[in-house]
Each structure stands twice: as structure tokens, then as C-alpha cells.
Amino acid sequence: MAELLALSPSRANDFVQCPLKFRLRSIDRLPEPPSEAAFRGTLVHAVLERLFDAEADERTIETAVAGIGPALDALREKDPETVAQLFPGPDEVSRLQQQARTLLEGYFTLELPQKLEPAAREEFVRADLDNGLTLRGFVDRTDIAPGGQVRLVDYKTGKQPKPQYSGEADFQMRFYALVHWLSRRELVHTLQLFYLGSRTTVTKRPTAADIERTEAEILQLWEQIARAAESDGWRPRRTPLCGWCHFKPICPAWGGTPPPTPEITAIAGR
């Protein structure tokens, strides 16, 4: 049995991309094989989180690179099977470490961590809408300027997408700006995306109108999810991304048969 009471940016984007994918991940919770790209991203995020444990003048690329090994060891201790599956030998581990180093070098071209004192890192955030839906997720970094202005930062270990494919990341940051407003009644001054793969930055300054628009967008999206849940209408949507979807073999759009939908015991707002 499952409940639909909370929404994260990634699960919201799943539904926009393909309602069936949302169901299989959020309701069925079917296991998916580990991804090398996702693991690499987790590793780099861990290193950047711990970088700010060092004194300001020690936040150098050398310190960051030296943190790759300990961060990898911590991830291996937490999930040894995934590390062994993705990186079975020293050559694969060495390649992973070199890729992580390149991404960290990219980060240091975008800002100077010696000049920053983050208010929070890898922070779990949540807020409730009036209909009972909980919005939740993790913010990579929150900075507060001396004047009180708040900046939310997200690290992306891939390359900056073309404008027509940037909607997912844009929605994610607006989502977190809304959560910040709902929980603190404070308008975020800056939203910033660091694309370490392309060494580029995207900066936006949300307005009150952006916050209202994002809330209305989420409420409309949740209404669509609730209708799909009540009618068991999780239609698949064929896109070029299907080639990377682990659920393609059981997708009816590709001749497969998904398992029966688990019983849903509660839906926020219903």
C-alpha cells in the first residue's frame, strides 16, 4: 500500500516526463540499477559539502581533491555492493577519481569558497501547502549575505543543457524558493545553478509573482497526479528519454506489461 502525501522536485519532474514512470518510482517503488553518473554526482556533492568544514584559507582545490578518497570510502562503507558493482577494479576507481577531480576543478573556476560561510549544506527542507501536500527535498547549499539576502545553490555535475531542456532544473530551484517562502515567509534573493561539467553558472532572482506561479503550477500538477491515482490512469509517454529508462521493458508504450498498481491508501487534498 502507498500514500501520496508528499512531492519532491525530482518526482514532480518524473510525472511531467511520464506519469507511468512516476507511478513505478513513487508508488510501486521498483528497484533500479545503480547509475555511474548518479554515483559520481553523489561523490562530488559529498566532497563539496565537506570542503566547508575546512578553515577558509584551506578551501583549495588541493584540499578538495584530497577529500575524494575519504568521501569514496564513506560511500563504500555505506553501500559496498553498489561501489563494487559500478567500480569493480582499481582502473574503474581511478577513472572515477579523475572524473571527480575534473568536476571539482570546474567548481573552482566558478567561485571562491574561501570567501563563503554557508548557512546550511545538504539541508533537508519541507513545507506544507494548504491542501495538505508536503513539499520536500534537499538544498545543496544556502548562503546568507551580510545584508541578509538568501542565495540557494545547486551543484550539477553534468553540462548546462540547451535552453529547451533547462525546464527541469529551473523548476527544481523555483520549487525550493517556494519551500523557503512557505517555511520562513522570506523571499529568496538568488537562485544559482553551478554546472560543473560545462563550468557555467545560471543565476535567477525570483519575484513574488514567480513564487505564486510556482505554487499554482505545483497545485495543478498535484491535481493531475491525484486524478491519475483515482482512475489508475498512469499513461506512459514516449520521448527520446525512453532509451535511458530502466522501466522500458515493462512499459506498454514499448510492448511491455507493468505490474498491477499497488493500493493507494491516502492522497493529500482528497
Side-chain angles (χ1 to χ4, degrees):
M1 294 185 292
E3 296 179 336
L4 287 175
L5 304 174
L7 190 67
S8 68
S10 56
R11 296 293 79 83
N13 279 311
D14 280 346
F15 187 83
V16 171
Q17 185 186 120
C18 175
L20 180 60
K21 182 178 181 180
F22 172 92
R23 192 210 102 180
L24 296 175
R25 277 184 167 168
S26 300
I27 300 175
D28 298 63
R29 297 183 181 179
L30 297 182
E32 297 180 67
S35 160
E36 185 174 324
F39 185 91
R40 183 168 58 246
T42 299
L43 175 63
V44 171
H45 276 72
V47 173
L48 289 175
E49 179 186 3
R50 296 172 187 174
L51 177 66
F52 289 95
D53 290 337
E55 296 296 328
D57 60 355
E58 296 177 357
R59 295 172 196 159
T60 63
I61 180 60
E62 290 78 17
T63 298
V65 170
I68 295 174
L72 179 56
D73 289 341
L75 291 172
R76 182 184 285 111
E77 183 177 352
K78 182 179 180 181
D79 190 356
E81 292 183 4
T82 292
V83 177
Q85 179 180 342
L86 292 175
F87 312 101
D91 289 345
E92 290 82 5
V93 171
S94 177
R95 177 169 51 83
L96 169 66
Q97 293 176 322
Q98 181 55 53
Q99 290 171 339
R101 176 180 184 129
T102 299
L103 292 169
L104 291 169
E105 290 171 346
Y107 165 73
F108 277 86
T109 68
L110 300 176
E111 67 175 359
L112 298 174
Q114 299 91 338
K115 297 183 179 296
L116 299 169
E117 292 298 337
R121 290 168 278 157
E122 294 295 330
E123 181 184 22
F124 176 75
V125 297
R126 58 169 291 166
D128 296 329
L129 296 177
D130 291 341
N131 69 346
L133 173 64
T134 296
L135 306 181
R136 65 188 183 189
F138 286 88
V139 175
D140 288 347
R141 202 179 80 213
T142 302
D143 300 331
I144 301 179
Q149 299 93 336
V150 175
R151 175 173 69 158
L152 303 183
V153 174
D154 191 76
Y155 308 120
K156 300 294 186 186
T157 49
K159 295 182 179 180
Q160 182 179 346
K162 295 179 180 179
Q164 61 267 37
Y165 301 116
S166 63
E168 183 173 328
D170 175 73
F171 173 81
Q172 176 189 5
M173 296 306 287
R174 289 191 289 110
F175 184 104
Y176 288 135
L178 171 62
V179 171
H180 191 91
W181 167 257
L182 291 171
S183 59
R184 307 187 188 188
R185 292 298 164 183
E186 178 182 47
L187 187 63
V188 171
H189 180 270
T190 305
L191 302 172
Q192 201 152 46
L193 292 165
F194 291 154
Y195 287 97
L196 309 186
S198 54
R199 305 189 177 190
T200 54
T201 303
V202 175
T203 302
K204 296 189 177 183
R205 291 185 170 83
T207 65
D210 291 328
I211 297 298
E212 292 179 3
R213 175 171 63 90
T214 302
E215 182 172 7
E217 185 179 342
I218 291 172
L219 287 171
Q220 181 181 36
L221 178 64
W222 189 251
E223 182 65 25
Q224 295 171 5
I225 292 173
R227 287 200 300 267
E230 292 175 345
S231 65
D232 198 22
W234 306 102
R235 68 188 187 284
R237 182 174 297 147
R238 290 182 64 148
T239 74
L241 296 175
C242 291
W244 287 270
C245 181
H246 171 68
F247 304 120
K248 184 177 178 180
I250 60 173
C251 177
W254 297 93
T257 303
T261 306
E263 179 184 354
I264 299 173
T265 59
I267 305 173
R270 294 296 174 105

